[in-house]
């Protein structure tokens, strides 16, 4: 394109007789090209090729150089989340919370502070110490989630935390922090809800096993989606289910409930169409939560109706 030199004293938006403005960085250079994003006039030396048209250097520095924001063009996981610098952060926080609660229970028992009886998962039972009824059916809904972070035996928390550390980071990296945390909590709630529905009303249960089984189910769904070898995770899942039903004093309902919810939520997250990811992800989580609420509501009516 021909350039007509202008006066160095020409103002920023100076125009020549033919109406062409001056470049926003070089006012003495008239141009008919404008930035595709901010529409400032730009000369050939300031033009940066974009997916559509040209952009000015300021917009390129503030975005991706393609007409989209830098955030929109950041690398994404299979679930559509941005890639985090530390893919273990949420897993480490969950580990810390579980260990801290276990320490409170461990030392609380020696101080006669019965945290387990106050926060474990139980449907409806008479507590002699309080002289009244306790449980989810009595309005203590918080037990559905507090029990997920509650452990009483060293072997129990050790196994669950090792499983969390093994299964958690790959899922957190693949799903993103918010989706991973949501899946973990929904799986834990799903396990508590099925225990509430099927177990004896006065049978207490506690532990992160429901959430862990949810992560195991989610891992199987993710590996299937990526066409990876599923034999290791299927063998692990099979062994855990065998122990679930054959080992005494295990709340199998929590394991199965967590597994089903975790797999279902993960399926919605990794198979959502790219152009409707957010809508499908929110819808999947809302449906899972509503199903959990429905189960709890039905069981509560059975116990107090």
């Amino acid at each position: 394109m021909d350039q007509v030199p202008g006066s160095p004293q020409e103002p920023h938006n100076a125009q020549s007789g033919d109406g062409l403005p001056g470049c926003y960085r070089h006012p003495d250079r008239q141009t008919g090209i404008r930035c595709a994003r901010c529409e400032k006039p730009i000369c050939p030396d300031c033009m940066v090729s974009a997916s559509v048209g040209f952009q000015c250097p300021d917009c390129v520095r503030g975005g991706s150089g393609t007409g989209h924001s830098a955030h929109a063009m950041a690398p994404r996981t299979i679930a559509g989340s941005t890639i985090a610098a530390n893919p273990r952060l949420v897993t480490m926080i969950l580990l810390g919370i579980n260990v801290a609660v276990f320490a409170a229970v461990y030392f609380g028992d020696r101080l006669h502070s019965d945290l387990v009886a106050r926060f474990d998962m139980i449907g409806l039972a008479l507590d002699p110490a309080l002289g009244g009824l306790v449980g989810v059916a009595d309005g203590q809904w918080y037990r559905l989630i507090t029990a997920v972070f509650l452990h009483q035996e060293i072997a129990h928390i050790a196994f669950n935390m090792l499983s969390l550390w093994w299964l958690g980071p790959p899922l957190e990296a693949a799903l993103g922090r918010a989706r991973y945390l949501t899946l973990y909590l929904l799986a834990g709630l799903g396990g508590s809800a099925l225990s509430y529905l099927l177990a004896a009303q006065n049978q207490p249960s506690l532990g992160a096993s429901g959430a862990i089984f949810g992560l195991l189910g989610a891992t199987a769904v993710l590996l299937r989606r990526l066409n990876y070898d599923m034999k290791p995770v299927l063998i692990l899942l099979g062994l855990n289910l065998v122990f679930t039903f054959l080992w005494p004093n295990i709340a199998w309902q929590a394991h199965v409930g967590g597994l089903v919810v975790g797999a279902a939520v993960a399926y919605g997250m990794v198979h959502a169409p790219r152009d409707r990811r957010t809508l499908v992800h929110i819808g999947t989580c809302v449906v899972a939560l509503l199903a959990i609420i429905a189960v709890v509501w039905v069981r509560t009516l059975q116990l107090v109706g």
Side-chain angles (χ1 to χ4, degrees), residues 72-87:
M73 295 301 294
R76 297 276 171 170
T77 68
I78 190 173
S81 297
T82 55
I83 297 177
N86 181 4

Side-chain angles (χ1 to χ4, degrees), residues 202-226:
N202 61 346
Q203 176 182 315
S205 63
L206 70 166
S209 300
I212 299 301
F213 265 77
L215 298 186
L216 192 54
T219 300
V221 170
L222 178 62
L223 293 181
R224 181 68 179 86
R225 172 67 175 80
L226 297 174

Side-chain angles (χ1 to χ4, degrees), residues 139-261:
Q140 297 174 342
W141 310 102
Y142 58 85
R143 290 177 180 266
L144 293 165
I145 190 64
T146 55
V148 177
F149 295 92
L150 203 60
H151 297 83
Q152 198 170 16
E153 299 178 358
I154 294 178
H156 190 197
I157 189 172
F159 181 80
N160 279 343
M161 294 305 99
L162 284 173
S163 299
L164 174 59
W165 185 249
W166 184 64
L167 294 169
L171 278 174
E172 184 177 345
L175 301 179
R177 290 171 179 170
R179 292 169 176 82
Y180 167 70
L181 178 60
T182 301
L183 184 145
Y184 183 91
L185 295 176
L186 285 174
L189 282 171
S192 293
L194 196 63
S195 291
Y196 182 46
L197 178 67
L198 300 180
Q201 66 183 57
N202 61 346
Q203 176 182 315
S205 63
L206 70 166
S209 300
I212 299 301
F213 265 77
L215 298 186
L216 192 54
T219 300
V221 170
L222 178 62
L223 293 181
R224 181 68 179 86
R225 172 67 175 80
L226 297 174
N227 293 320
Y228 287 175
D229 183 10
M230 295 186 62
K231 289 180 181 178
V233 72
L234 291 179
I235 292 174
L236 180 63
L237 178 58
L239 290 174
N240 276 275
L241 288 175
V242 168
F243 282 119
T244 293
F245 289 100
L246 296 183
W247 203 268
N249 300 322
I250 288 182
W252 62 268
Q253 300 91 343
H255 293 190
V256 174
L259 176 65
V260 171
V261 172

Side-chain angles (χ1 to χ4, degrees), residues 95-155:
L95 276 164
I97 293 173
N98 277 279
V99 172
V101 173
F102 173 74
V105 170
Y106 184 82
F107 292 107
D109 287 345
R110 282 147 182 76
L111 299 174
H112 305 289
S113 175
D114 200 354
L115 295 176
V116 171
R118 292 177 179 272
F119 296 106
D120 63 359
M121 173 57 224
I122 193 165
L124 189 64
L126 177 65
D127 188 342
L130 297 178
L133 294 174
V134 298
V136 175
D138 194 50
Q140 297 174 342
W141 310 102
Y142 58 85
R143 290 177 180 266
L144 293 165
I145 190 64
T146 55
V148 177
F149 295 92
L150 203 60
H151 297 83
Q152 198 170 16
E153 299 178 358
I154 294 178

Side-chain angles (χ1 to χ4, degrees), residues 28-29 39 44 46 48 54 65 69-70 78 136 196 201 210 227 232 274 283-284:
D28 58 326
R29 302 179 186 178
E39 297 189 349
C46 296
V48 179
F54 299 94
S69 66
I78 190 173
V136 175
Y196 182 46
Q201 66 183 57
N227 293 320
R274 179 173 299 181
T284 299

Side-chain angles (χ1 to χ4, degrees), residues 293-305:
I293 292 174
V295 168
V296 173
W297 180 68
V298 168
R299 180 57 169 166
T300 300
L301 291 180
Q302 292 177 351
L303 295 179
V304 302

Side-chain angles (χ1 to χ4, degrees), residues 41-109:
I42 48 178
C43 68
D45 289 342
C46 296
M47 295 176 187
V48 179
S49 296
S51 57
V52 177
F54 299 94
Q55 293 183 14
C56 67
D58 290 345
C59 288
V60 172
R61 283 193 296 269
S64 64
T66 62
H68 303 283
S69 66
H71 177 76
M73 295 301 294
R76 297 276 171 170
T77 68
I78 190 173
S81 297
T82 55
I83 297 177
N86 181 4
R88 295 181 174 85
L89 179 62
V90 175
T91 299
M92 293 169 65
I93 292 174
L94 290 172
L95 276 164
I97 293 173
N98 277 279
V99 172
V101 173
F102 173 74
V105 170
Y106 184 82
F107 292 107
D109 287 345

